[in-house]
């Protein structure tokens, strides 16, 4: 059985069991008037407890229209900063990922720093500074504060006034809306993972040369279809996602067939995880290398998604122009949350991790260095230290034994998530496939891989508060060239380690199984880990 709905340039195909599972829910959503209510910004769609929070978070439904007000400002900024073709984006969350997807899709050069890894930040801050523009997007977090300070020092050291090289995108009233910065006010009713078509995503994209008008045109063309009770691609997609957990499919496998915008899979991953994962419910997204990747085709009890043309047995297939896809997926996520009975805007686990990080850094304002306490490893294999609690690794003699015990700890039909606090340039591409083969063969489970701290602000939500079917492998690495944070009593390396420990604490507090691998040498440690996984 196949259901295919098109509109506004996008196509959504639902196949197999997903059609029957979502059919009745689609009827109910239409009868309840959800499409028109959502596009009107009705804050009551997710129940009375979510109403107050939703009331200030629904500006994204009007983004194709409202964001056009930005265009004259973007034209002025683009002209002012012409010649600064090394654009660096400091920020966390979905809007920053969206900016990266936009840039990649249009061949523009944008360097995303949603990390404090010292090696990665140092590399970006080396320039070429005479052609560098820093964009700080979103509410200022500890991470973006640190990156901004490092770049301000780098500019000064190069004899460049930072005031002329930093653009800040934030809500009205932001503390960074002050003399010394070029400030762009974002819609106060847009935040978090729903900000792809807002100033948070569009300003950095435009400054690196992307055509954001085209994106808004593509999104606007979809709007009439999203108002329909029937033949509505967003409603169909949202129902297929929202009904999956109730039918025993709490994992969403995402494969790009190569025809979609590069990086869109990772943007969808964070949107689905952050919006749905709470109260023990949600969809756990797992991005794989393609439809033929390990773990995608042989596993049951999952919802499969292909970005591109539909294939037999896939479950879901979605295609269309990028601007329309951003709006489609945000709409579908909001609908899915209504079906699941959760608020799409609540993010308690993310807030808890941020508070735990603040606790580890407490004292920074008065100059007291933060204390991040480690522990002795339970085992060392070459350049890899193994840290764990309990007796799960009792009797393990080497890294291969550790991975065997770890894989056996995965619940049947569960998942394992790798959380790597490393440089994006570290060669981690060989880790997920062999781990996925192990998980699929031994436990009929999936393997997800993500870089941190990106996952702290997105997938970390579903890992901590979603379905309790995951086990977690955290990877940290030695820092060979640390970077001090000007005006703060800590370095980027210390901050990165504090992020990892805060994440670890939040997971263990909830009773999740977590093993931490610390690489004393990153390259050698990754090679040893890959060899152990492949053995």
């Amino acid at each position: 059985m196949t259901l295919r709905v098109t509109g506004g340039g996008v196509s959504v195909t639902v196949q197999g069991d997903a059609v029957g599972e979502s059919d009745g829910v689609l009827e109910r959503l239409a009868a309840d008037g959800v499409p028109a209510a959502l596009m009107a910004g009705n804050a009551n769609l997710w129940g009375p407890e979510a109403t107050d929070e939703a009331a200030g978070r629904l500006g994204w439904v009007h983004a194709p229209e409202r964001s056009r007000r930005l265009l004259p400002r973007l034209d002025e900024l683009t002209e002012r900063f012409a010649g600064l073709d090394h654009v660096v984006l400091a920020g966390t969350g979905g809007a920053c990922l969206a900016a990266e997807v936009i840039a990649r899709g249009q061949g523009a050069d944008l360097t995303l720093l949603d990390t404090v890894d010292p090696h990665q930040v140092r590399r970006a801050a080396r320039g070429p500074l005479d052609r560098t523009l820093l964009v700080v997007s979103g509410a200022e977090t500890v991470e973006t504060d640190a990156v901004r300070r490092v770049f301000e020092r780098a500019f000064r050291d190069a004899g460049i006034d930072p005031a002329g090289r930093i653009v800040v995108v934030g809500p009205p009233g932001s503390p960074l809306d002050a003399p010394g910065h070029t400030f762009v006010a974002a819609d106060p009713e847009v935040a978090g993972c729903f900000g792809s078509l807002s100033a948070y995503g569009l300003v950095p994209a435009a400054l690196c040369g992307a055509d954001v008008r085209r994106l808004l045109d593509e999104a606007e063309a979809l709007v009439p279809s999203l108002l329909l009770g029937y033949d509505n691609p967003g409603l169909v997609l949202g129902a297929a996602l929202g009904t999956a957990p109730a039918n025993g499919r709490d994992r969403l496998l995402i494969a790009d067939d190569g025809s979609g915008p590069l990086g869109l899979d990772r943007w969808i991953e964070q949107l689905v995880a952050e919006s749905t994962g709470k109260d023990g419910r949600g969809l756990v997204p797992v991005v794989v290398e393609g439809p033929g990747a390990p773990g995608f085709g042989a596993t049951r009890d999952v919802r499969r998604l292909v970005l591109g043309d539909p294939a037999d047995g896939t479950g879901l297939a979605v295609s269309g122009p990028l601007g329309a896809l951003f709006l489609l997926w945000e709409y579908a996520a909001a609908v899915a949350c209504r079906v699941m009975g959760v608020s799409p805007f609540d993010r308690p686990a993310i807030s808890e991790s941020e508070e735990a990080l603040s606790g580890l850094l407490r004292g920074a304002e008065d100059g007291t260095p933060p204390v991040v306490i480690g522990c002795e490893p339970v085992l060392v294999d070459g350049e890899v230290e193994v840290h764990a609690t309990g007796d799960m690794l009792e009797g393990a003699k080497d890294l291969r034994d550790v991975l065997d015990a770890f894989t056996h700890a995965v619940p049947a039909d569960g998942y394992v998530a790798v959380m790597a606090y490393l440089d994006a340039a570290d060669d981690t591409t060989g880790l997920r496939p062999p781990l996925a083969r192990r998980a699929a063969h031994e436990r009929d489970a999936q393997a997800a891989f993500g870089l941190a701290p990106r996952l702290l602000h997105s997938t970390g939500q579903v890992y901590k508060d979603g379905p309790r079917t995951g086990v977690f492998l955290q990877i940290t690495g030695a820092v060979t060239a640390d970077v001090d944070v000007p005006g703060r009593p800590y370095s980027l390396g210390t901050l990165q380690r504090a992020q990892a420990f805060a994440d670890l604490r939040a997971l263990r507090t909830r009773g999740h199984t977590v093993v931490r691998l610390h690489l004393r040498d990153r390259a050698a440690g990754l090679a040893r880990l890959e060899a152990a996984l492949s053995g």
Side-chain angles (χ1 to χ4, degrees), residues 320-332:
L322 182 57
L325 289 175
F326 281 143
L327 183 60
L328 173 81
W329 275 100
E330 290 171 354
Y331 181 103

Side-chain angles (χ1 to χ4, degrees), residues 10-12 222 226 232-235 237 267 271 318-319 323-333:
V10 305
S11 173
V12 174
L222 179 64
L226 299 182
N232 178 332
L235 201 67
L237 179 57
W267 178 82
L271 172 69
V318 178
S319 62
L325 289 175
F326 281 143
L327 183 60
L328 173 81
W329 275 100
E330 290 171 354
Y331 181 103

Side-chain angles (χ1 to χ4, degrees), residues 402-419:
V402 169
L403 294 170
D404 286 341
F406 180 73
T407 304
H408 283 295
V410 183
D413 300 328
Y415 69 97
V416 53
V418 178
M419 307 175 298

Side-chain angles (χ1 to χ4, degrees), residues 3-363:
L3 170 64
R4 184 170 185 264
V5 181
T6 61
V10 305
S11 173
V12 174
T13 303
V14 185
Q15 297 178 327
D17 293 341
V19 178
E21 291 170 3
S22 59
D23 188 55
V25 170
L26 267 174
E27 293 288 338
R28 187 167 67 249
L29 291 169
D32 290 345
V34 169
L38 179 54
M39 293 305 288
N42 188 327
N44 299 312
L45 289 172
W46 301 276
E49 293 183 359
T51 299
D52 288 345
E53 185 172 37
R57 297 292 186 91
L58 285 163
W60 57 270
V61 301
H62 307 296
E65 173 191 356
R66 288 185 182 177
S67 291
R68 292 187 184 278
R69 304 170 192 170
L70 284 170
L71 295 178
R73 175 72 161 147
L74 292 179
D75 289 341
E76 181 265 317
L77 291 176
T78 302
E79 183 177 353
R80 187 199 307 180
F81 295 113
L84 301 181
D85 56 1
H86 180 229
V87 181
V88 179
L89 172 58
T92 58
C96 293
L97 279 178
E100 184 180 49
V101 176
I102 295 167
R104 286 181 175 181
Q106 298 192 22
D109 182 17
L110 179 67
T111 300
L112 174 59
L113 286 181
D114 55 354
T115 180
V116 293
D117 184 85
H119 308 101
Q120 194 168 340
V121 175
R122 179 189 292 272
R123 192 165 57 248
R126 281 177 175 167
L129 287 175
D130 60 328
R131 305 198 326 266
T132 296
L133 178 69
L134 176 69
V135 183
V136 179
S137 184
E140 188 168 55
T141 62
V142 173
E143 297 96 332
T144 55
D145 171 74
V147 171
R148 177 178 58 80
R149 289 169 178 270
V150 169
F151 268 80
E152 286 176 339
R153 178 177 60 192
F155 284 132
R156 290 192 185 100
D157 289 348
I160 299 169
D161 182 2
R165 294 299 187 89
I166 298 178
V167 175
V168 176
V169 186
S174 166
L176 290 181
D177 184 5
H181 295 100
T182 297
F183 185 81
V184 180
D187 187 336
E189 294 185 355
V190 177
C193 56
F194 290 84
S196 61
L197 294 173
S198 73
Y200 296 118
L202 297 183
V203 171
L207 288 173
C208 71
D211 181 0
V212 300
R213 283 178 172 82
R214 187 173 83 194
L215 291 167
L216 295 176
D217 289 343
E218 293 167 352
E220 192 167 34
L222 179 64
V223 169
S225 297
L226 299 182
L227 290 163
L228 301 175
Y230 298 93
D231 295 326
N232 178 332
L235 201 67
V236 168
L237 179 57
L241 297 173
T243 54
N247 288 281
R249 308 175 196 275
D250 60 16
R251 287 149 294 154
L252 177 68
L253 305 190
I254 306 172
D256 188 339
D257 71 358
S259 64
L262 186 63
L264 184 64
D265 48 2
R266 289 293 179 185
W267 178 82
I268 293 170
E269 176 189 38
Q270 60 79 33
L271 172 69
V272 170
E274 185 176 333
S275 61
T276 70
K278 53 214 73 172
D279 302 331
R281 288 168 280 179
L283 270 174
V284 179
V286 179
V287 174
V288 303
E289 295 78 12
F296 186 73
T299 310
R300 51 181 162 78
D301 296 335
V302 298
R303 186 70 87 220
R304 294 183 185 85
L305 164 70
V306 168
L307 301 179
D309 295 329
D312 289 341
T314 295
L316 299 175
V318 178
S319 62
L322 182 57
L325 289 175
F326 281 143
L327 183 60
L328 173 81
W329 275 100
E330 290 171 354
Y331 181 103
V335 170
C337 287
R338 176 181 168 89
V339 175
M340 294 181 198
V342 298
S343 166
F345 310 111
D346 188 24
R347 50 206 297 271
I350 292 174
S351 298
E352 181 181 330
S353 292
E354 290 170 349
E355 291 169 4
L357 175 60
S358 296
L360 289 171
L361 297 176
R362 191 163 289 124

Side-chain angles (χ1 to χ4, degrees), residues 358-372 487-490 494:
S358 296
L360 289 171
L361 297 176
R362 191 163 289 124
E365 295 303 323
D366 63 10
T368 304
V371 178
V372 181
R488 301 296 190 209
Y490 49 79
T494 299

